[in-house]
């Protein structure tokens, strides 16, 4: 009986000792999402992220300066003319959030939006 218990204890310590380390390691690495901005759209126009998973949002401008702002999430990234900007964040709420261009870029500026879905 003692031997069986010892074997169980060893098995449990392996399962609970090793797995969380791997879990934490994979959680720390921000997932990179690249969004291209040009007059007057974002590509892709829809992105899906997992709640609690850190991401690095990379905004690439193909023409004039653009921005992407999710007011509800307090997240904003700007990219100057022909350049790239990044922001790191972790979505903590499930839902649908609409981001808008935050740098005036011309006539269609007001219609530039990107829908972010945050899922469990
Ligand atoms: Cu704009």
């Amino acid at each position: 009986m003692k031997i069986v218990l010892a074997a169980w204890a060893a098995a449990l310590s392996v399962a609970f000792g090793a797995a969380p380390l791997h879990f934490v390691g994979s959680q720390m690495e921000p997932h990179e999402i690249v969004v291209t901005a040009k007059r007057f759209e974002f590509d892709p126009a829809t992105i899906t992220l997992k709640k609690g998973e850190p991401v690095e949002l990379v905004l690439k401008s193909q023409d004039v300066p653009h921005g992407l702002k999710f007011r509800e999430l307090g997240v904003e990234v700007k990219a100057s003319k022909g350049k790239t900007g990044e922001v790191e964040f972790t979505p903590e709420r499930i839902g649908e959030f609409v981001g808008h261009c935050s740098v005036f870029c011309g006539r269609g500026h007001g219609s530039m939006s990107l829908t972010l879905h945050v899922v469990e």
Side-chain angles (χ1 to χ4, degrees):
M1 191 59 183
K2 262 187 182 164
I3 292 163
V4 173
L5 282 177
W8 262 109
L12 284 175
S13 72
V14 167
F16 288 95
L21 276 179
H22 175 72
F23 183 69
V24 168
S26 64
Q27 289 283 301
M28 297 299 285
E29 194 75 16
H31 189 88
E32 190 183 87
I33 307 280
V34 179
V35 173
T36 300
K38 62 176 187 221
R39 288 169 151 181
F40 294 98
E41 61 185 23
F42 290 109
D43 180 27
T46 305
I47 56 179
T48 301
L49 301 177
K50 275 189 125 180
K51 182 189 164 194
E53 200 168 271
V55 290
E56 181 180 47
L57 183 60
V58 178
L59 185 69
K60 283 188 178 175
S61 165
Q62 282 193 340
D63 42 34
V64 300
H66 292 285
L68 176 56
K69 183 176 187 175
F70 296 94
R71 198 189 300 166
E72 285 174 278
L73 303 176
V75 171
E76 181 174 18
V77 56
K78 287 182 179 175
S80 43
K81 184 181 174 182
K83 297 220 167 122
T84 295
E86 313 71 39
V87 65
E88 276 189 37
F89 71 102
T90 303
E92 302 289 5
R93 286 161 57 199
I94 290 169
E96 188 181 296
F97 306 95
V98 179
H100 294 279
C101 183
S102 59
V103 178
F104 184 76
C105 56
R107 293 181 80 137
H109 168 75
S111 64
M112 275 184 81
S113 68
L114 182 152
T115 303
L116 165 65
H117 295 281
V118 181
V119 297
E120 195 70 68

